Amino acid sequence: MTDSSPSRLDLLHFARRVVVQQATASLRQIDGWIAEEERREAERRRGAEARPAPPEWLVQYGLNRRTVDAVHCGDCWVAAKSGRCRPVTRAQALEALRQQVPACTHCRPDTALEFREEA
């Protein structure tokens, strides 16, 4: 009777092939994840580059959307939270301050605009 069971060496070669196959599949999966993340990062960069520059000045409208409540610098966190702001030019921001629209006490657009109230 012949011994038909695989030798220890055959089993080790088989185990090596299994490990290589699993490692190759795992590397393919990780490479796919890397490629997807690189694509997302490139897309984020393109989006950031295509985004228009934030406005320099904002006016905040009241709840009725007609009255102007405040003047803000374009990067003011208060203006970002209110959601009722619209971009304006430097001249429009100065005119609003001349019309007694209050300047935001957090970002101080009157100081940034070098606005001096006339007596």
Side-chain angles (χ1 to χ4, degrees):
M1 212 156 105
T2 62
D3 188 12
S4 64
S5 61
S7 71
R8 181 171 166 78
L9 184 58
D10 291 336
L11 291 174
L12 288 172
H13 280 295
F14 174 77
R16 184 182 187 286
R17 283 193 310 271
V18 169
V19 168
V20 167
Q21 181 184 12
Q22 290 175 343
T24 303
S26 294
L27 283 174
R28 259 190 252 118
Q29 185 177 33
I30 291 171
D31 288 344
W33 292 339
I34 290 170
E36 179 63 22
E37 192 56 34
E38 286 172 342
R39 185 194 62 75
R40 285 184 188 139
E41 187 60 34
E43 191 173 302
R44 276 191 285 274
R45 267 195 312 276
R46 281 192 307 273
E49 291 168 1
R51 189 174 301 123
E56 286 191 68
W57 313 105
L58 299 166
V59 292
Q60 178 181 335
Y61 287 90
L63 293 175
N64 65 4
R65 306 280 185 183
R66 289 189 196 114
T67 59
V68 178
D69 285 350
V71 178
H72 297 274
C73 293
D75 59 353
C76 180
W77 65 271
V78 175
K81 284 182 76 173
S82 82
R84 298 188 321 257
C85 292
R86 299 289 175 257
V88 294
T89 63
R90 177 183 175 84
Q92 291 169 321
L94 282 167
E95 183 57 31
L97 292 170
R98 281 190 204 98
Q99 298 294 325
Q100 304 298 312
V101 173
C104 173
T105 57
H106 300 281
C107 64
R108 301 305 310 184
D110 50 344
T111 303
L113 287 163
E114 299 177 356
F115 176 74
R116 304 284 183 259
E117 227 176 298
E118 294 134 14

